[in-house]
Amino acid sequence: MTKLLFVMTGATYWALKDGTRHATGYWAEEFAAPYKALTEAGHQIVVAGPKGVVPNVDMMSLRPERAGSAENALDLGRIIRSAEEMRRPIRLSDAHLEDDDFTRGEIWEPYTVVDRNLYTGQNPASARVLAERLPKEALT
């Protein structure tokens, strides 16, 4: 079994220019797709974030029209609720990671980057691609 670090946002809102707050958080599929694939394959997940706060899901990502269907939205919610690791994150500063350079791909297109043992996805479209790559490449 391999231990994998998921770095999650601690944000719950964006402060807009006019001072109003817009609710936010992590996109459900970006966590749920890799989490499900990796835990089903027997791997251990550690969740980390700024100050070790419990990550907050962006509720927009659980709307059926954003998740692809009502069934997908319900499945994402079930996966997130079942993820005990999300309720006890560690502080990112306690993960002792080295600094890395990051790249980006086209917006809303699947994009993953591999650097030694760091696998990362850029956006929601990358979640399933990353979930498929990790067990085949990093965890064999």
Side-chain angles (χ1 to χ4, degrees):
M1 173 171 65
T2 302
K3 186 185 285 188
L4 302 164
L5 180 67
F6 279 33
V7 179
M8 306 293 293
T9 182
T12 57
Y13 66 88
W14 288 99
L16 302 180
K17 222 177 191 180
D18 65 4
T20 59
R21 292 182 176 187
H22 176 72
T24 192
Y26 67 89
W27 200 257
E29 187 177 15
E30 290 182 317
F31 170 79
Y35 178 85
K36 182 176 188 270
L38 295 167
T39 56
E40 285 179 352
H43 303 289
Q44 179 184 358
I45 304 300
V46 174
V47 173
K51 301 180 184 175
V53 299
V54 173
N56 181 59
V57 67
D58 185 329
M59 296 308 290
M60 293 292 286
S61 67
L62 292 173
R63 290 187 176 181
E65 64 273 16
R66 300 291 175 109
S69 70
E71 183 180 346
N72 286 348
L74 290 171
D75 286 343
L76 291 170
R78 278 192 285 272
I79 293 165
I80 291 166
R81 284 189 305 279
S82 74
E84 183 64 32
E85 301 87 346
M86 291 293 266
R87 291 183 275 289
R88 47 182 171 76
I90 66 170
R91 294 174 65 94
L92 184 55
S93 60
D94 293 338
H96 304 292
L97 300 175
E98 297 173 10
D99 292 334
D100 285 296
D101 292 325
F102 296 97
T103 63
R104 70 174 286 220
E106 293 298 317
I107 294 176
W108 301 116
E109 294 296 321
Y111 184 71
T112 60
V113 175
V114 178
D115 183 5
R116 296 182 313 267
N117 64 349
L118 172 66
Y119 281 67
T120 184
Q122 175 181 330
N123 55 45
S126 305
R128 291 196 193 282
V129 175
L130 189 61
E132 292 169 2
R133 285 186 74 176
L134 279 167
K136 291 177 189 172
E137 298 173 20
L139 307 173
T140 56

